[in-house]
Amino acid sequence: MRFLFFGSIRKSLIVLVLLAMLPALAILLYTGRELRGRVVHDAETYALRQVQAMAAHHERVVDNARLLLMTLAKSSEVRSLDAAACQTLLADILGRNAAYVSLSLADVNGRVLVAAPAVSVAHIGEANFFRRAMHAGAFTVGEYTLLKTERRVVVQFGQPVLDAGNQPIGLLIADFDLNYFGRIFYDTHLPEHSVFTLTDANGMRLTRFPETEKYTWVADLPQMVARMSGRDEEGVFLETGVDGVSRLYSFKRLHFQGASFPYLMIRLGIPVDQALSEARFVIIRNVTLLVLATILALVTAWFVAEFTMLRRLTMLISAADKLKTGDLSARTGMSLGDGELGQLAVAFDGMAEGLEQKEKERSLASEQLLRLNEELEDRVAQRTEQLAGANRNLEQTLDDLQRTQKQLVLSEKLAALGELVAGVAHEINTPVGVALSASSTLAEKNRALAELFALGEMKRSNLAQYLEDAREGTEMILMNLGRASELIRSFKMVAADQVSEHRRTFNVKDYIDEVLLSLRPKLKKTGHRITVRCAPDLVIESYPGAFSQILTNFIVNSLVHGFEPEQAGEIRIEATQTGGVLELCYADNGKGMAPEIRDRIFEPFFTTARSQGSTGLGLHIVFNIVTRTLGGTIACESLPGQGTSFRVTMPL
């Protein structure tokens, strides 16, 4: 069946361009979806990390209150219930702890003896919080209470005061204002329209930042409470807030020892639109660029069809029409260099020329001779023109080949740098992982010691064991982080030099060590030994990036081609300066090369290990760097079974 739509060359090219863009569009949409998923995951991780930090801060507030009240309860002023001395002491402590609203001391019957600042409540003996604290004889966390006149929520911490016989004689009380978390919320500099909420186990919203007064001590949304009251103690979910804004929420439930309530729920919400704005911008930008590229490709296809096909077809049709009317001199004027249409045109011209020749045979002999002479001149001119066109095509082909060669060389350099990045990143994972594990262990031992101290059960042996563990953990962290820092410093210097063309002063011995350190992921998998001979004070001014490329390609060439798979070889590197010339000698004791291979190693794309992924550009890059960038010379010596050596000289 004939497809009428493809009868036009222009339409066919347009359809081909559109079909070629479809895979690009599919890839773009797929990568956009992956980007969106990655952004959502990052936002979830960020939100959960922030809410964990705020939860940890609240836990520290409770722990600090416990330590503060326990310390005050053991002071002589408090144990003697000296009102005047306690007034001065509590006022001084309150001035140093802005997180607390008030500090007070009540006797065993609940009569408030001292309060800083002074309060109107003189007796708290009937309060549930007071009775539980006196009955338990230990630190107690009271319920969250709304101060209606001040429109804020506070929570009370209580610590019984014991006499010499460990009998309660009073109660120290600290009131903590939840508005204190407002400063933490605003200091965190969260994204715009983010919210932070504290909700008790009964679903009452204790406070919210921002718009604190509006949403303080009101019932929380049921769907929010249901999300946070499940099996998991922490997590993230997507929900619409009371203000109608869709947010990504992270939550955590807090449990306090000695509290009258089962748990406290804290929640942090980050707007979804803001979290996905970057991914949306990238997708829209890429789609726009793809549309522009499609339009450009369509316009290009249109003009390509016009200038490379249709105009030539018009010339061919016009010549055929003239031939049909009897004009045997009609020609297309095209040559073989014009592609398939040129071949067709040449065949057409040949046919017309044959017809014209038969017509001329009927002319007089003199006219035939004259005509033949004129045709001979025309043929010579035509051949000359064809040869000129062929020369131009050959020059264009040579330029394309050189440009392609440069692009392949650049790709080889970038591929080597990418492999270096991957190797160093894998090498850094080990010390960083060890340091992280040691840090986690140290944090756990610190928490355990704090619990022993809070319970009053800490022994001298516990403290001594903790100090020994802290010393070992700190030494392990410092040693592994120092190792990772050294790897990163070396990689940054070598990688930056490999992509830079700047000339600078550097120490040759130190730079060789940096290059070897950056290649350690490759070298440590082998049993090869590297010996470096270079004066430690040899400092030159040259191109370190070129120096790194030369040395890296030499070593990689030895690893791939120079040694047998199980061989434990030796590599020698020697650098000396004589006058204004630096001489670099590199040698290995590998399997060497035959003379016919050695004579071609600097040719582009020549390799004996193409099946192993080699491109044959490594030593060609070295040759170009030495001769062009550095203006020096390079020579190679090698025999089968006697290793390979390179001698590079570069003027300084």
Side-chain angles (χ1 to χ4, degrees), residues 124-348:
I124 60 172
E126 299 301 325
N128 292 331
F129 163 70
F130 178 83
R131 291 199 299 268
R132 287 190 302 101
M134 297 302 292
H135 177 74
F139 178 83
T140 304
V141 180
E143 297 180 351
Y144 292 91
T145 306
L146 173 66
L147 303 181
K148 296 182 179 180
T149 58
E150 300 177 8
R151 197 61 185 173
R152 61 182 179 180
V153 178
V154 299
V155 61
Q156 293 180 319
F157 305 117
Q159 172 63 42
V161 180
L162 307 177
D163 58 10
N166 288 330
Q167 295 299 319
I169 59 175
L171 182 68
L172 273 171
I173 305 166
D175 292 349
F176 175 76
D177 187 1
L178 294 186
N179 286 336
Y180 179 76
F181 287 100
R183 286 180 286 174
I184 301 175
F185 173 81
Y186 293 114
D187 290 341
T188 306
H189 300 294
L190 295 169
E192 189 177 1
H193 302 302
S194 297
V195 296
F196 176 64
T197 306
L198 285 87
T199 305
D200 65 13
N202 298 321
M204 180 64 69
R205 185 187 288 113
L206 303 177
T207 187
R208 177 185 186 268
F209 304 101
E211 300 182 276
T212 304
E213 294 183 0
K214 181 179 179 181
Y215 295 104
T216 295
W217 206 260
V218 296
D220 205 344
L221 294 177
Q223 62 268 26
M224 296 288 189
V225 177
R227 293 271 197 176
M228 297 186 295
S229 302
R231 182 180 58 184
D232 297 329
E233 294 290 329
E234 63 182 21
V236 293
F237 59 88
L238 187 64
E239 193 59 77
T240 301
V242 68
D243 53 0
V245 178
S246 179
R247 294 184 176 90
L248 183 66
Y249 289 95
S250 60
F251 74 92
K252 184 175 180 62
R253 292 200 299 266
L254 297 180
H255 303 269
F256 301 114
Q257 182 179 359
S260 61
F261 49 87
Y263 53 80
L264 173 69
M265 298 178 288
I266 64 174
R267 180 174 76 246
L268 176 65
I270 298 176
V272 175
D273 290 339
Q274 186 168 355
L276 298 179
S277 60
E278 181 181 357
R280 189 180 299 110
F281 169 78
V282 172
I283 294 173
I284 294 175
R285 182 199 63 190
N286 291 343
V287 170
T288 302
L289 292 177
L290 180 62
V291 171
L292 293 177
T294 303
I295 295 173
L296 180 60
L298 292 175
V299 173
T300 304
W302 182 276
F303 283 101
V304 167
E306 177 65 27
F307 289 101
T308 63
M309 297 183 184
L310 296 180
R311 289 191 177 184
R312 298 175 184 176
L313 285 176
T314 302
M315 295 170 60
L316 187 59
I317 293 172
S318 176
D321 290 338
K322 291 180 180 180
L323 185 63
K324 183 176 64 174
T325 60
D327 185 3
L328 299 181
S329 63
R331 299 290 185 272
T332 61
M334 292 186 289
S335 64
L336 290 174
D338 294 329
E340 290 80 4
L341 290 178
Q343 295 177 3
L344 178 60
V346 170
F348 178 87

Side-chain angles (χ1 to χ4, degrees), residues 461-509:
S461 59
N462 298 133
L463 181 58
Q465 182 62 39
Y466 169 78
L467 292 175
E468 178 63 19
D469 294 339
R471 182 188 62 78
E472 294 179 356
T474 304
E475 291 178 352
M476 184 179 297
I477 292 171
L478 290 176
M479 179 180 66
N480 283 275
L481 291 182
R483 178 185 175 192
S485 175
E486 182 66 18
L487 285 171
I488 293 172
R489 183 186 66 81
S490 300
F491 166 69
K492 285 175 63 180
M493 177 177 293
V494 175
D497 284 337
Q498 285 189 357
V499 299
S500 174
E501 298 293 338
H502 296 297
R503 184 182 180 97
R504 67 178 177 87
T505 301
F506 61 96
N507 185 287
V508 177
K509 178 63 168 59

Side-chain angles (χ1 to χ4, degrees), residues 26-38 279 282-283 286:
I27 293 173
L28 178 62
L29 295 177
Y30 179 77
T31 55
R33 181 179 179 184
E34 282 190 335
L35 176 62
R36 185 182 186 279
R38 186 163 56 252
V282 172
I283 294 173
N286 291 343

Side-chain angles (χ1 to χ4, degrees), residues 1 90 102 105 111 133 166 180 221 226 247 258 358 374 387 389 394 462 501 517 561 600 616 619:
M1 180 178 178
L90 295 183
S102 65
L105 174 64
R111 182 170 59 91
N166 288 330
Y180 179 76
L221 294 177
R247 294 184 176 90
K358 290 181 180 180
E374 293 176 352
L387 288 175
L394 183 59
N462 298 133
E501 298 293 338
L517 183 59
H561 306 283
R600 300 185 59 191
L619 292 179

Side-chain angles (χ1 to χ4, degrees), residues 395-406 605:
E395 292 175 356
Q396 181 65 35
T397 302
L398 181 59
D399 292 340
D400 294 341
L401 179 60
Q402 291 176 349
R403 184 164 52 254
T404 302
Q405 179 179 338
K406 291 179 181 179
F605 309 109

